Amino acid sequence: MIEFRGGAPTRHRFAIIGFPWDFGASLGRPGARHGPEEIRRSAAWNLNRIRQDRVWDVEGGRIVDLSAVEISDRGDVPISAHDTEATFGRVQAQVAEALAEQQLPIVLGGDHSISLPPIRALAAVRERVGIVQLDAHLDLVDFDPRQGSFSQSSQIRRALELPQMDARRLIQVGLRGLNYPEMHDFCRAQGITQLTAAEALDAGAEAVAERCLTVAGADGAAIYLTLDIDALDPASAPGAGAHEHGGLTPRFVSALIRRLAPTVEAFDIAEVNPLFDVHGMTANLASKLIWDLILARV
Ligand SMILES: [Mn+2]
Protein backbone atom coordinates (compact mmCIF):
# COMPACT_ATOMS: atom_id res chain seq x y z
CA MET A 1 0.00 0.00 0.00
CA ILE A 2 2.76 2.44 0.86
CA GLU A 3 5.04 0.49 -1.38
CA PHE A 4 7.41 2.56 -3.46
CA ARG A 5 10.23 1.21 -5.57
CA GLY A 6 12.83 3.15 -7.40
CA GLY A 7 15.62 0.60 -7.78
CA ALA A 8 17.60 1.48 -4.69
CA PRO A 9 21.15 1.13 -3.46
CA THR A 10 21.30 -0.39 0.01
CA ARG A 11 21.46 2.73 2.15
CA HIS A 12 17.99 3.87 1.14
CA ARG A 13 16.08 0.66 1.65
CA PHE A 14 13.25 0.52 4.16
CA ALA A 15 11.01 -2.31 5.35
CA ILE A 16 7.59 -1.59 6.80
CA ILE A 17 6.57 -4.37 9.20
CA GLY A 18 3.11 -4.25 10.79
CA PHE A 19 2.79 -5.76 14.24
CA PRO A 20 -0.92 -5.46 15.11
CA TRP A 21 -0.51 -6.65 18.68
CA ASP A 22 -2.20 -5.13 21.72
CA PHE A 23 -2.27 -8.06 24.11
CA GLY A 24 0.52 -6.30 26.01
CA ALA A 25 -1.80 -3.39 26.75
CA SER A 26 -2.51 -4.78 30.18
CA LEU A 27 -3.02 -1.45 31.93
CA GLY A 28 -3.44 0.94 29.02
CA ARG A 29 -6.24 0.98 26.48
CA PRO A 30 -6.49 -1.86 23.98
CA GLY A 31 -6.95 -0.97 20.31
CA ALA A 32 -3.38 -0.41 19.09
CA ARG A 33 -3.81 -3.56 16.96
CA HIS A 34 -5.51 -1.21 14.48
CA GLY A 35 -2.46 1.07 14.41
CA PRO A 36 -0.58 -0.39 11.42
CA GLU A 37 -3.64 -0.21 9.17
CA GLU A 38 -4.38 3.44 9.96
CA ILE A 39 -0.74 4.56 9.85
CA ARG A 40 -0.34 2.93 6.44
CA ARG A 41 -3.50 4.58 5.17
CA SER A 42 -2.25 7.95 6.28
CA ALA A 43 1.31 7.43 5.01
CA ALA A 44 0.08 6.31 1.58
CA TRP A 45 -1.69 9.61 1.02
CA ASN A 46 1.64 11.37 0.63
CA LEU A 47 2.51 9.19 -2.35
CA ASN A 48 0.36 11.44 -4.53
CA ARG A 49 2.87 14.24 -3.98
CA ILE A 50 5.59 12.31 -5.80
CA ARG A 51 6.22 13.32 -9.40
CA GLN A 52 8.74 11.47 -11.57
CA ASP A 53 10.34 9.99 -8.45
CA ARG A 54 10.81 13.42 -6.90
CA VAL A 55 9.13 15.09 -3.96
CA TRP A 56 9.49 18.50 -2.32
CA ASP A 57 10.41 18.02 1.34
CA VAL A 58 9.10 21.39 2.45
CA GLU A 59 10.53 21.27 5.98
CA GLY A 60 13.83 19.91 4.75
CA GLY A 61 14.01 22.78 2.26
CA ARG A 62 14.86 20.64 -0.75
CA ILE A 63 13.60 18.44 -3.51
CA VAL A 64 14.38 14.82 -2.68
CA ASP A 65 15.18 12.34 -5.42
CA LEU A 66 13.36 9.16 -4.52
CA SER A 67 14.70 7.16 -7.43
CA ALA A 68 17.30 5.80 -5.01
CA VAL A 69 14.71 4.84 -2.39
CA GLU A 70 12.96 1.54 -1.89
CA ILE A 71 10.15 1.12 0.61
CA SER A 72 9.07 -2.46 0.92
CA ASP A 73 5.91 -3.20 2.87
CA ARG A 74 6.21 -6.67 4.36
CA GLY A 75 2.61 -6.58 5.56
CA ASP A 76 1.40 -7.53 9.01
CA VAL A 77 3.01 -10.33 10.98
CA PRO A 78 0.47 -13.10 11.72
CA ILE A 79 -0.69 -12.99 15.33
CA SER A 80 -1.27 -15.92 17.65
CA ALA A 81 -3.16 -14.19 20.42
CA HIS A 82 -2.62 -17.07 22.82
CA ASP A 83 1.12 -17.31 22.27
CA THR A 84 3.30 -14.28 22.92
CA GLU A 85 6.61 -16.04 22.36
CA ALA A 86 5.57 -17.60 19.04
CA THR A 87 4.26 -14.27 17.77
CA PHE A 88 7.30 -12.35 18.98
CA GLY A 89 9.50 -14.96 17.29
CA ARG A 90 7.80 -14.30 13.94
CA VAL A 91 8.35 -10.58 14.28
CA GLN A 92 11.98 -11.08 15.23
CA ALA A 93 12.44 -13.27 12.14
CA GLN A 94 10.86 -10.62 9.88
CA VAL A 95 13.08 -7.88 11.29
CA ALA A 96 16.15 -10.14 11.00
CA GLU A 97 15.28 -10.73 7.34
CA ALA A 98 14.93 -7.00 6.70
CA LEU A 99 18.29 -6.31 8.38
CA ALA A 100 19.92 -9.08 6.34
CA GLU A 101 18.61 -7.41 3.17
CA GLN A 102 20.00 -4.10 4.40
CA GLN A 103 16.57 -2.59 4.81
CA LEU A 104 15.96 -0.27 7.74
CA PRO A 105 13.12 -1.94 9.68
CA ILE A 106 10.21 0.36 10.51
CA VAL A 107 7.94 -1.62 12.83
CA LEU A 108 4.39 -0.36 13.28
CA GLY A 109 2.70 -1.30 16.56
CA GLY A 110 0.84 -2.34 18.39
CA ASP A 111 1.19 -1.56 22.07
CA HIS A 112 4.70 -0.81 23.28
CA SER A 113 5.51 -4.45 24.09
CA ILE A 114 6.16 -4.75 20.32
CA SER A 115 9.65 -3.25 20.68
CA LEU A 116 11.24 -6.33 22.22
CA PRO A 117 11.44 -8.62 19.15
CA PRO A 118 12.96 -5.97 16.85
CA ILE A 119 15.48 -5.03 19.55
CA ARG A 120 16.35 -8.73 19.89
CA ALA A 121 16.79 -8.96 16.12
CA LEU A 122 19.15 -6.00 16.04
CA ALA A 123 21.09 -7.33 19.03
CA ALA A 124 21.49 -10.68 17.29
CA VAL A 125 23.56 -9.11 14.51
CA ARG A 126 25.41 -6.38 16.40
CA GLU A 127 27.99 -6.58 19.14
CA ARG A 128 26.47 -3.67 21.06
CA VAL A 129 23.15 -1.88 20.94
CA GLY A 130 21.89 1.35 22.48
CA ILE A 131 18.31 2.53 22.75
CA VAL A 132 16.73 5.94 22.28
CA GLN A 133 13.27 5.72 23.83
CA LEU A 134 10.83 8.56 23.26
CA ASP A 135 8.14 7.94 25.83
CA ALA A 136 6.10 9.44 28.65
CA HIS A 137 6.76 6.32 30.69
CA LEU A 138 9.72 4.20 31.76
CA ASP A 139 8.54 0.72 30.64
CA LEU A 140 10.99 -0.80 33.11
CA VAL A 141 8.63 -3.01 35.14
CA ASP A 142 10.31 -6.33 35.92
CA PHE A 143 7.17 -8.23 36.88
CA ASP A 144 3.68 -7.20 37.86
CA PRO A 145 0.96 -9.65 38.92
CA ARG A 146 -1.49 -8.01 36.53
CA GLN A 147 0.90 -7.47 33.64
CA GLY A 148 3.43 -10.26 33.81
CA SER A 149 6.90 -9.70 32.36
CA PHE A 150 6.25 -8.99 28.66
CA SER A 151 3.69 -6.19 28.66
CA GLN A 152 3.81 -2.65 27.33
CA SER A 153 5.40 -1.73 30.68
CA SER A 154 8.30 -4.22 30.56
CA GLN A 155 9.82 -4.31 27.10
CA ILE A 156 12.69 -1.96 27.89
CA ARG A 157 13.47 -3.87 31.09
CA ARG A 158 13.67 -7.09 29.04
CA ALA A 159 15.86 -5.33 26.49
CA LEU A 160 18.30 -4.28 29.23
CA GLU A 161 18.87 -7.98 29.96
CA LEU A 162 20.29 -8.64 26.51
CA PRO A 163 24.06 -9.19 26.65
CA GLN A 164 24.52 -6.64 23.83
CA MET A 165 22.71 -3.97 25.84
CA ASP A 166 23.94 -1.82 28.71
CA ALA A 167 21.64 0.45 30.72
CA ARG A 168 24.19 3.25 30.33
CA ARG A 169 23.32 3.20 26.60
CA LEU A 170 19.61 3.78 27.27
CA ILE A 171 18.29 7.33 26.98
CA GLN A 172 14.64 8.06 27.72
CA VAL A 173 13.19 11.33 26.42
CA GLY A 174 9.78 12.81 27.18
CA LEU A 175 9.23 11.36 30.66
CA ARG A 176 6.59 12.86 32.93
CA GLY A 177 3.80 12.11 35.38
CA LEU A 178 4.01 9.95 38.48
CA ASN A 179 5.90 6.73 38.95
CA TYR A 180 6.91 4.10 41.50
CA PRO A 181 9.53 5.31 44.02
CA GLU A 182 11.57 2.11 43.63
CA MET A 183 11.87 2.90 39.92
CA HIS A 184 13.67 6.12 40.77
CA ASP A 185 16.34 4.18 42.65
CA PHE A 186 16.58 1.49 39.95
CA CYS A 187 17.14 4.06 37.19
CA ARG A 188 19.82 5.89 39.16
CA ALA A 189 21.60 2.66 40.09
CA GLN A 190 21.58 1.47 36.47
CA GLY A 191 22.91 4.76 35.11
CA ILE A 192 20.00 5.32 32.72
CA THR A 193 19.93 8.77 31.09
CA GLN A 194 16.56 10.46 31.42
CA LEU A 195 15.15 13.72 30.13
CA THR A 196 11.68 14.85 31.14
CA ALA A 197 9.54 16.33 28.40
CA ALA A 198 10.11 19.80 29.87
CA GLU A 199 13.89 19.32 30.02
CA ALA A 200 13.94 18.09 26.43
CA LEU A 201 11.82 20.98 25.13
CA ASP A 202 13.96 23.50 27.03
CA ALA A 203 17.18 22.02 25.66
CA GLY A 204 15.90 21.89 22.07
CA ALA A 205 15.93 19.10 19.52
CA GLU A 206 19.50 19.66 18.33
CA ALA A 207 21.01 19.39 21.83
CA VAL A 208 18.83 16.41 22.72
CA ALA A 209 19.81 14.65 19.48
CA GLU A 210 23.50 15.11 20.33
CA ARG A 211 22.85 13.62 23.75
CA CYS A 212 20.99 10.65 22.23
CA LEU A 213 23.80 9.91 19.80
CA THR A 214 26.43 10.17 22.53
CA VAL A 215 24.57 8.01 25.07
CA ALA A 216 22.97 5.35 22.86
CA GLY A 217 25.80 5.25 20.36
CA ALA A 218 28.56 4.91 22.96
CA ASP A 219 31.29 2.37 22.14
CA GLY A 220 30.10 2.14 18.54
CA ALA A 221 26.73 0.66 19.51
CA ALA A 222 23.97 0.26 16.93
CA ILE A 223 21.15 2.65 17.81
CA TYR A 224 17.58 1.42 18.10
CA LEU A 225 14.95 4.17 18.12
CA THR A 226 11.56 3.51 19.67
CA LEU A 227 8.75 6.05 19.71
CA ASP A 228 5.81 5.61 22.04
CA ILE A 229 3.31 8.06 20.60
CA ASP A 230 2.46 9.10 24.17
CA ALA A 231 5.82 10.88 24.27
CA LEU A 232 3.89 13.57 22.44
CA ASP A 233 1.34 15.67 24.22
CA PRO A 234 -2.19 14.21 24.12
CA ALA A 235 -3.32 17.46 22.49
CA SER A 236 -1.36 16.33 19.40
CA ALA A 237 -1.72 12.58 19.90
CA PRO A 238 -5.13 11.79 21.45
CA GLY A 239 -5.17 8.30 19.92
CA ALA A 240 -2.73 6.82 22.43
CA GLY A 241 -2.75 4.00 24.96
CA ALA A 242 -2.44 6.41 27.88
CA HIS A 243 -2.41 10.17 28.34
CA GLU A 244 0.15 12.23 30.21
CA HIS A 245 -0.14 15.97 29.81
CA GLY A 246 2.78 18.29 29.21
CA GLY A 247 4.33 16.19 26.45
CA LEU A 248 6.66 16.76 23.53
CA THR A 249 5.49 18.69 20.48
CA PRO A 250 5.27 17.35 16.91
CA ARG A 251 7.79 19.97 15.85
CA PHE A 252 10.32 18.83 18.48
CA VAL A 253 9.93 15.10 17.72
CA SER A 254 10.05 15.73 13.99
CA ALA A 255 13.32 17.67 14.31
CA LEU A 256 14.77 15.05 16.66
CA ILE A 257 13.88 12.15 14.36
CA ARG A 258 15.32 13.96 11.34
CA ARG A 259 18.57 14.50 13.21
CA LEU A 260 18.78 10.86 14.42
CA ALA A 261 17.54 9.26 11.19
CA PRO A 262 20.87 8.85 9.37
CA THR A 263 22.34 6.98 12.36
CA VAL A 264 19.55 4.70 13.62
CA GLU A 265 19.57 1.05 12.53
CA ALA A 266 15.99 0.09 13.39
CA PHE A 267 12.88 2.01 14.36
CA ASP A 268 9.45 1.35 15.79
CA ILE A 269 6.42 3.42 16.52
CA ALA A 270 4.03 2.14 19.15
CA GLU A 271 0.77 2.85 20.94
CA VAL A 272 -1.06 4.60 18.13
CA ASN A 273 -4.63 3.67 19.03
CA PRO A 274 -7.22 4.40 16.33
CA LEU A 275 -10.10 3.51 18.70
CA PHE A 276 -9.31 6.63 20.73
CA ASP A 277 -8.13 8.81 17.89
CA VAL A 278 -9.78 12.03 16.75
CA HIS A 279 -10.31 12.18 12.99
CA GLY A 280 -7.20 10.06 12.45
CA MET A 281 -4.88 12.84 13.65
CA THR A 282 -2.61 10.55 15.68
CA ALA A 283 -2.14 8.09 12.82
CA ASN A 284 -1.47 11.09 10.61
CA LEU A 285 1.19 12.33 13.03
CA ALA A 286 2.79 8.88 13.10
CA SER A 287 2.93 8.76 9.30
CA LYS A 288 4.44 12.26 9.17
CA LEU A 289 7.21 11.14 11.54
CA ILE A 290 7.89 8.05 9.41
CA TRP A 291 8.25 10.26 6.33
CA ASP A 292 10.60 12.50 8.38
CA LEU A 293 12.76 9.46 9.10
CA ILE A 294 12.80 8.32 5.48
CA LEU A 295 13.43 11.72 3.90
CA ALA A 296 16.20 12.58 6.36
CA ARG A 297 18.15 9.45 5.34
CA VAL A 298 18.09 10.24 1.64
MN1 LIG B 1 5.95 3.09 26.31
Side-chain angles (χ1 to χ4, degrees):
M1 230 189 317
I2 108 186
E3 212 119 9
F4 181 80
R5 287 179 189 281
T10 55
R11 171 154 176 76
H12 302 149
R13 289 185 188 167
F14 302 88
I16 308 285
I17 298 166
F19 190 0
W21 175 268
D22 59 16
F23 298 95
S26 39
L27 290 186
R29 302 161 176 151
R33 69 180 68 179
H34 303 291
E37 185 186 343
E38 290 303 318
I39 295 169
R40 276 194 187 90
R41 197 197 311 278
S42 193
W45 188 89
N46 272 315
L47 294 177
N48 82 54
R49 293 288 158 92
I50 297 166
R51 294 278 187 272
Q52 282 92 41
D53 287 349
R54 284 156 30 107
V55 72
W56 179 15
D57 173 14
V58 178
E59 286 152 78
R62 68 201 174 114
I63 289 175
V64 178
D65 180 5
L66 294 172
S67 64
V69 172
E70 181 180 306
I71 301 173
S72 164
D73 192 341
R74 291 168 170 263
D76 287 349
V77 175
I79 299 299
S80 298
H82 60 93
D83 195 337
T84 301
E85 268 309 296
T87 307
F88 278 23
R90 280 180 215 132
V91 176
Q92 186 176 336
Q94 275 287 318
V95 175
E97 212 174 279
L99 289 169
E101 292 179 23
Q102 290 169 299
Q103 299 171 329
L104 179 91
I106 298 174
V107 180
L108 310 179
D111 70 66
H112 210 170
S113 68
I114 62 107
S115 299
L116 184 57
I119 293 172
R120 283 172 170 166
L122 182 62
V125 294
R126 294 298 304 258
E127 203 178 326
R128 296 183 187 87
V129 295
I131 299 173
V132 176
Q133 179 191 358
L134 311 183
D135 205 326
H137 307 108
L138 304 168
D139 299 353
L140 289 169
V141 170
D142 186 17
F143 174 81
D144 178 280
R146 289 169 296 178
Q147 300 178 276
S149 300
F150 293 93
S151 76
Q152 64 185 168
S153 303
S154 293
Q155 82 285 358
I156 301 298
R157 181 66 171 255
R158 297 286 83 80
L160 292 183
E161 295 165 351
L162 295 168
Q164 298 86 353
M165 186 57 200
D166 185 316
R168 285 166 297 185
R169 289 195 300 269
L170 169 62
I171 177 165
Q172 302 179 307
V173 178
L175 303 176
R176 55 201 192 272
L178 306 180
N179 220 296
Y180 312 105
E182 65 269 22
M183 272 301 159
H184 173 273
D185 301 339
F186 173 80
C187 294
R188 294 298 176 277
Q190 294 283 313
I192 296 167
T193 302
Q194 299 178 317
L195 292 175
T196 65
E199 287 169 339
L201 290 170
D202 287 349
E206 181 63 33
V208 172
E210 285 301 327
R211 194 88 192 277
C212 289
L213 294 171
T214 305
V215 172
D219 305 317
I223 298 178
Y224 186 94
L225 173 61
T226 177
L227 169 64
D228 186 323
I229 204 71
D230 73 21
L232 288 112
D233 194 82
S236 300
H243 286 167
E244 302 283 357
H245 288 276
L248 302 175
T249 64
R251 180 177 165 180
F252 174 92
V253 175
S254 170
L256 180 60
I257 286 180
R258 280 175 178 259
R259 182 70 178 75
L260 297 177
T263 310
V264 303
E265 299 199 16
F267 171 64
D268 75 54
I269 188 157
E271 297 287 352
V272 172
N273 190 331
L275 298 188
F276 291 86
D277 208 356
V278 178
H279 307 304
M281 64 188 278
T282 311
N284 183 260
L285 173 60
S287 80
K288 181 247 187 307
L289 296 171
I290 291 167
W291 277 109
D292 283 333
L293 178 91
I294 292 170
L295 292 171
R297 279 178 74 90
V298 180

